[in-house]
Amino acid sequence: MPIRRAKRAESLYAAVEGSDLVVTPDAPLASAINRRLDRPHFGTFATTPRRLAAGRREQAEDRRAFLELVTSTDRDWKAVAYAVGNVLQCWEHTGRLDAILEYDAYVDDATREVVAGMRTLRTTSKRLTEYEIDEGRSVAVVGHDQLTALERGVLPESFDRVDLFTDEAFDAPPFHVFESATDVVAALLETVSPSNAENVAVVLDGGGRYSSLVESAFEAADIPFYGGPGFADDPHHRAFVRLLRLCFRGSETTVGDAAPVLSQLGIDVPVADRERRIEAVDGAGAAWLRSFRDAAADRTFAAALDAYATEAGVDLSRLDEELRRLGLADEPVTEAAVDRLAYYLQTYEVPVDADNEGVLLADAKSSAYVDRPVVFHLGMGEAWTHSAPQRPWVDTEAQFDRYVGDFQRLLQSGDRRYYLVQDAAGGEPITPCLYLGDLLDDEFERFSDLDSVEHRRRPRPTGEGFDRQPTGVEPESVETVSQSALDSYVNSPRDYLFDRLLDAPDRERFVEGNLFHDFAEFYVNHPDAVAAADTGDLVDAMLAEAAAFFPADDEPLRRRTYRVGLELITAYLDEAAPESDDFLTPASGRGTNFFADYFDEPVDSPLTERWFEDASLGLKGKIDLVRSPTHLLDYKSGRRNRASQVVGGAATDPPADAPNFQAALYLAYYRSVRPDERLEFTFFHFLEPMADAIAGEADLDDALTTVTYHPVAFDEYVASREAYERLLDGYADCRETFADLGYEAYEEILSPLRFPETTDRGELRDSAFAARFTDAVDAATASGVDAEKGVDQAIRELNGARRRAFFREDLDAFESFVGERLDELNERRAGEERFPVDGLGGEPNYRRVDNRDLLLEGDR
């Protein structure tokens, strides 16, 4: 069905101006009709049934009934709230208080108690049940179908019906489609100002992201508004409840957990401490939190609120009043009581005193009519759709018709109306409000399928927002990049940028990882000092250093992990001791070492923690251990990866889903130091065999992953004796075939051939290379040799070698890739373009980002 044209307030007034009383389904419409009243009128003219019966502004009777009943019963608050909601809803749709008792599935002791209690409460529903309109008055009812059974009960037998809609269709304006929610709000700000705020209304999902974005934007622009944040949204109310919850979290509570509370108290804490436990942090803020927590069990809610308000320097008398209404003010602070308070604040809207000035923010699911000249409708997605009450006493079809009717009227509010929407988020289309599907004849899946105007992102104005002052300083170029920075930049340039702009907290895994690295470095320098020390003492020292990041209950597990880690590192270095360091220059002495300080011994071996920075390659990093002139080693505390995963992580065209360029970067640098040499890079995942180590069966080989760099092109390698020897150590048919063939014939066959670029096994088998290779080998081997199968196994083995090692062209491509990224990075640093959210491979791997809350969806 088409959108029916709603009658304007002037038209409705013209239809009812001769009546003594006008009944409307909602208060804003009644107020709009009253504002058109052009003659003296004694008493109420236009009003809602509830205001008519109560004789005052409507109140949230579910909250009022809950407050009255919960203080007179020992029942669980959630049970009381559930029963109150059911009783009032059933009363609304049937017109009788005790009607719910006819539905056995919804009747229990709590429900019976609520029904009995509400017989004596002077709720608005009770007043509606008792109220009768004087038969002598002429009554007009606007939108009779929008009234519920309880509301219709006040109507006299005779009254005039006035329809809310005409017989004409409403020609809706186009949807204005923007690329992101921030662009929608920016467009809104271009029109709204403090001078016209009284003429503007904004309709949005009151609990959605547009609500907070619009409120923040209006506050920043000093535009007055009302209808926004409620009682529970007050930052100090939220902080107080969060503070009470922290009192029962135990010793694992971190500074980051308490950061919102500390912020409201005006206390700044170092970013580095955010992941440390409050128990292990010094400072006035942490000390006050510990003091408040320790005293909480002996305080009442009123005393706890007073302590918070005193520290914050604010007046929280309104929250104190609510605690007294709930009967909590003089109750001791317990975890169960805090849960009840939080549930109440989440469930009921507590009225607040606010100036009704400025832009009106209207909730799309609570409003049906907005009487402002200019109305902006924001979002208009699925969140605008009501959840139909799934109760047997509700006529769902009639209720749905009410929802659709309200929605149609809401769309037509205002003399000028604008529908500002977003077409997609996170690469997925945004589904328009489901009511549009019933009202529009067109088939559509997203807003751009309808009559719409697309708005591309425009350059942001420079005269607004943050003040800018030219510094006269040229941006400093980035000359070199580390492996971690390159990984982050390729995954998401925007995340990389925030990593450079923002301080990062110390993290448990980094602190523990550094301790193990420091131990390995120290052991290479002073094995005798470690051998003479008690391992338990070393573990105690590590535990003390990392204790701020874990609760005391974790100590036994960590003690075992630290001990096994130290033992495995020691065992490996004893077994594979580094060779002479004659080939290296002296160490640079960069950084500090925990165990060097512990033993009061220097660490100066050029073999360990070898820093490098090469501007010609654009690379920098630190090599954990130079095992030999051609072999590098890096310690890892995480899970072991296969060699193919290491090589795959260094892919550049396209980059891997989880890029990891460490091996490629270190080998690219080291080949410049030792050109034309075969190099190896080993990852020692020293905690990998921990379970076997505890059982006394650890095999250090299970902890090692080694990748090789061959200083030749892969096609050269394929024809080399090393590759040939590899085939002789391979599958049975492969061994038989190439043993019969011999190396001279093997080299002669493969030297002119070029191995395909693909790594797909099926494509390799179907390639011209495979056909020529097979034919040549078959012709050069004995008849009893299965050359076809042998060659197939050989191709598989050679392809595996390519996937598990680096070759000259791989590192050449990597060096070019680094150069391109540095040029691109410096252009972005110079302001030539924004740092995008998406990396080279498209949408970033969000498991690998550090600043997820700063990466806005749809903002590319």
Side-chain angles (χ1 to χ4, degrees):
M1 62 179 180
I3 301 176
R4 293 182 295 164
R5 179 172 294 278
K7 294 179 180 177
R8 298 175 59 83
E10 292 81 3
S11 175
L12 292 173
Y13 173 70
V16 301
E17 62 178 330
S19 302
D20 297 326
L21 177 66
V22 180
V23 177
T24 68
D26 48 82
L29 179 59
S31 298
I33 293 174
N34 285 328
R35 280 193 289 272
R36 273 72 177 177
L37 191 63
D38 58 2
R39 57 180 175 79
H41 184 85
F42 180 74
T44 301
F45 181 60
T47 188
T48 66
R50 289 183 172 274
R51 285 191 176 183
L52 183 65
R56 50 177 165 72
R57 184 177 180 180
E58 300 172 55
Q59 293 185 350
E61 62 178 342
D62 55 347
R63 169 179 165 270
R64 181 166 176 252
F66 174 84
L67 289 172
E68 292 283 352
L69 296 171
V70 79
T71 54
S72 60
T73 181
D74 294 329
R75 295 195 179 278
D76 178 76
W77 284 19
K78 291 184 179 181
V80 173
Y82 178 75
V84 166
N86 280 338
V87 169
L88 286 175
Q89 188 190 73
C90 186
W91 198 351
E92 183 78 34
H93 286 271
T94 64
R96 295 184 294 113
L97 167 60
D98 57 359
I100 193 172
L101 300 179
E102 299 171 6
Y103 301 92
D104 293 341
Y106 295 88
V107 178
D108 56 14
D109 291 341
T111 304
R112 294 187 187 92
E113 195 170 323
V114 166
V115 169
M118 293 186 75
R119 292 186 191 280
T120 61
L121 295 182
R122 298 298 293 167
T123 62
T124 305
S125 291
K126 184 174 180 62
R127 293 172 183 268
L128 269 172
T129 305
E130 299 171 346
Y131 189 84
E132 292 182 2
I133 296 176
D134 186 354
E135 290 288 347
R137 305 174 70 183
S138 61
V139 178
V141 178
V142 178
H144 179 270
D145 292 342
Q146 298 299 110
L147 301 179
T148 64
L150 181 60
E151 291 171 330
R152 293 173 187 172
V154 305
L155 302 178
E157 292 185 7
S158 176
F159 56 85
D160 296 326
R161 296 193 185 199
V162 178
D163 198 346
L164 287 164
F165 299 94
T166 69
D167 294 331
E168 301 173 359
F170 171 64
D171 186 14
F175 294 95
H176 294 270
V177 179
F178 294 85
E179 294 181 351
S180 70
T182 51
D183 290 341
V184 169
V185 176
L188 178 67
L189 285 178
E190 290 179 0
T191 305
V192 183
S193 66
S195 61
N196 65 18
E198 294 292 335
N199 297 320
V200 176
V202 178
V203 183
L204 39 67
D205 171 25
R209 58 178 174 169
Y210 282 105
S211 180
S212 56
L213 286 174
V214 169
E215 291 161 13
S216 298
F218 282 172
E219 288 176 356
D222 292 324
I223 297 174
F225 65 93
Y226 69 97
F231 183 85
D233 297 314
D234 183 285
H236 283 292
H237 294 175
R238 295 169 65 92
F240 176 65
V241 174
R242 185 159 192 161
L243 175 61
L244 294 181
R245 287 196 179 282
L246 289 176
C247 293
F248 302 98
R249 289 197 56 175
S251 61
E252 69 272 15
T253 305
T254 65
V255 172
D257 295 329
V261 177
L262 294 172
S263 176
Q264 287 305 313
L265 293 173
I267 299 172
D268 293 327
V269 294
V271 173
D273 287 341
R274 292 182 73 91
E275 294 197 7
R276 299 180 188 272
R277 293 182 302 115
I278 290 177
E279 301 292 332
V281 175
D282 296 326
W288 184 85
L289 283 173
R290 289 194 293 267
S291 174
F292 183 94
R293 180 199 61 196
D294 295 342
D298 299 324
R299 281 178 171 156
T300 63
F301 276 87
L305 180 62
D306 183 63
Y308 173 86
T310 300
E311 183 68 19
V314 294
D315 178 16
L316 296 178
S317 57
R318 184 67 187 83
L319 179 55
D320 182 71
E321 292 175 12
E322 207 62 26
L323 291 174
R324 298 190 182 283
R325 285 194 182 94
L326 290 166
L328 287 177
D330 297 325
E331 290 294 314
V333 175
T334 64
E335 187 172 9
V338 172
D339 287 342
R340 292 198 297 271
L341 173 62
Y343 173 77
Y344 169 75
L345 294 175
Q346 293 166 3
T347 304
Y348 296 106
E349 185 61 48
V350 180
V352 295
D353 295 328
D355 296 330
N356 293 343
E357 298 178 353
V359 177
L360 168 63
L361 301 185
D363 189 339
K365 289 193 291 190
S366 301
S367 307
Y369 178 81
V370 179
D371 189 26
R372 286 290 176 96
V374 180
V375 181
F376 292 92
H377 300 71
L378 268 58
M380 305 184 71
E382 287 182 296
W384 279 39
T385 308
H386 295 78
S387 298
Q390 300 299 314
R391 295 292 187 269
W393 51 79
V394 177
D395 184 337
T396 54
E397 185 175 343
Q399 186 62 41
F400 181 80
D401 289 341
R402 292 191 191 99
Y403 288 151
V404 173
D406 287 345
F407 179 74
Q408 291 181 88
R409 291 197 292 140
L410 189 60
L411 290 182
Q412 301 175 57
S413 295
D415 298 324
R416 287 181 292 163
R417 56 199 71 87
Y418 303 93
Y419 306 153
L420 311 185
V421 300
Q422 188 181 352
D423 203 40
E428 297 294 328
I430 291 178
T431 302
C433 177
L434 300 184
Y435 301 136
L436 288 170
D438 287 276
L439 297 172
L440 302 178
D441 295 330
D442 299 330
E443 293 289 334
F444 61 90
E445 293 182 355
R446 55 203 302 167
F447 288 108
S448 58
D449 294 335
L450 298 167
D451 181 19
S452 59
V453 177
E454 185 175 352
H455 296 265
R456 295 283 185 183
R457 182 178 287 114
R458 290 164 290 180
R460 297 184 177 182
T462 56
E464 301 281 339
F466 295 111
D467 292 334
R468 300 183 181 185
Q469 296 181 351
T471 61
V473 177
E474 291 295 321
E476 183 178 339
S477 295
V478 175
E479 301 294 335
T480 57
V481 64
S482 68
Q483 164 255 328
S484 59
L486 184 60
D487 291 349
S488 175
Y489 181 80
V490 171
N491 185 49
S492 172
R494 185 80 58 86
D495 187 53
Y496 162 88
L497 172 66
F498 285 130
D499 275 342
R500 297 303 177 273
L501 295 177
L502 304 175
D503 292 331
D506 292 338
R507 291 189 171 94
E508 172 189 331
R509 67 179 187 276
F510 294 149
V511 171
E512 290 184 334
N514 288 337
L515 287 172
F516 283 119
H517 277 73
D518 287 354
F519 175 78
E521 178 187 17
F522 185 81
Y523 188 74
V524 172
N525 282 263
H526 302 285
D528 294 338
V530 174
D534 182 273
T535 303
D537 293 340
L538 301 183
V539 171
D540 287 342
M542 294 175 70
L543 286 169
E545 182 70 8
F549 295 95
F550 61 84
D553 292 346
D554 285 358
E555 182 176 322
L557 176 60
R558 292 177 184 273
R559 180 178 296 279
R560 183 177 62 184
T561 300
Y562 293 176
R563 176 179 290 276
V564 171
L566 298 186
E567 290 173 350
L568 290 171
I569 290 172
T570 302
Y572 174 77
L573 292 174
D574 287 343
E575 181 180 301
E579 300 178 8
S580 169
D581 59 9
D582 294 344
F583 59 93
L584 292 173
T585 58
S588 62
R590 290 177 62 96
T592 61
N593 184 292
F594 175 81
F595 287 95
D597 295 337
Y598 178 84
F599 284 98
D600 195 20
E601 294 281 358
V603 286
D604 52 11
S605 170
L607 295 169
T608 59
E609 299 296 310
R610 186 78 188 184
W611 175 260
F612 66 87
E613 187 164 5
D614 190 324
S616 64
L617 295 174
L619 306 176
K620 65 181 177 181
K622 188 188 291 183
I623 303 168
D624 287 350
L625 178 66
V626 183
R627 273 205 60 217
S628 76
T630 59
H631 193 171
L632 308 180
L633 182 135
D634 193 81
Y635 303 103
K636 295 293 182 187
S637 57
R639 297 296 301 273
R640 177 174 176 254
N641 288 326
R642 300 185 303 275
S644 59
Q645 292 174 305
V646 173
V647 173
T652 59
D653 187 21
D657 179 58
N660 188 334
F661 298 105
Q662 183 175 9
L665 188 148
Y666 283 41
L667 288 169
Y669 163 73
Y670 208 59
R671 75 168 179 170
S672 70
V673 177
R674 307 191 73 86
D676 301 323
E677 294 191 53
R678 185 178 186 273
L679 306 175
E680 290 183 315
F681 190 100
T682 294
F683 291 103
F684 176 29
H685 297 266
F686 53 86
L687 293 181
E688 182 75 14
M690 188 172 74
D692 291 337
I694 294 172
E697 301 172 353
D699 184 349
L700 290 174
D701 289 341
D702 293 338
L704 302 174
T705 297
T706 298
V707 293
T708 303
Y709 165 66
H710 299 277
V712 296
F714 179 63
D715 283 327
E716 294 179 55
Y717 171 81
V718 167
S720 69
R721 181 170 289 277
E722 181 179 347
Y724 175 75
E725 296 291 342
R726 186 185 189 107
L727 299 183
L728 295 184
D729 195 31
Y731 302 101
D733 288 299
C734 183
R735 291 198 307 269
E736 182 180 355
T737 299
F738 291 94
D740 184 81
L741 178 67
Y743 174 65
E744 289 74 13
Y746 172 84
E747 181 184 28
E748 184 179 348
I749 291 171
L750 280 175
S751 291
L753 299 181
R754 292 293 175 263
F755 204 90
E757 292 291 333
T758 181
T759 59
D760 181 79
R761 183 180 301 178
E763 293 178 4
L764 285 172
R765 284 175 170 169
D766 295 337
S767 66
F769 168 85
R772 292 177 61 188
F773 190 15
T774 302
D775 291 343
V777 171
D778 188 38
T781 53
S783 59
V785 172
D786 190 345
E788 183 176 356
K789 192 168 185 180
V791 170
D792 183 70
Q793 292 175 351
I795 292 175
R796 189 191 317 173
E797 182 65 30
L798 292 170
N799 188 45
R802 176 170 58 177
R803 295 175 61 246
R804 293 189 289 272
F806 293 105
F807 295 87
R808 186 170 60 209
E809 63 267 31
D810 297 324
L811 295 193
D812 288 347
F814 173 72
E815 290 179 9
S816 298
F817 177 79
V818 171
E820 292 168 0
R821 299 289 74 73
L822 284 171
D823 290 343
E824 181 182 77
L825 169 60
N826 285 314
E827 289 173 0
R828 288 168 175 166
R829 283 171 56 87
E832 295 182 21
E833 63 174 284
R834 298 178 68 195
F835 282 75
V837 172
D838 285 355
L840 288 176
E843 184 176 79
N845 183 334
Y846 283 107
R847 293 174 298 175
R848 298 299 183 99
V849 302
D850 295 321
N851 306 281
R852 179 65 182 90
D853 54 337
L854 298 177
L855 305 185
L856 300 180
E857 291 185 4
D859 190 3
R860 299 302 180 221

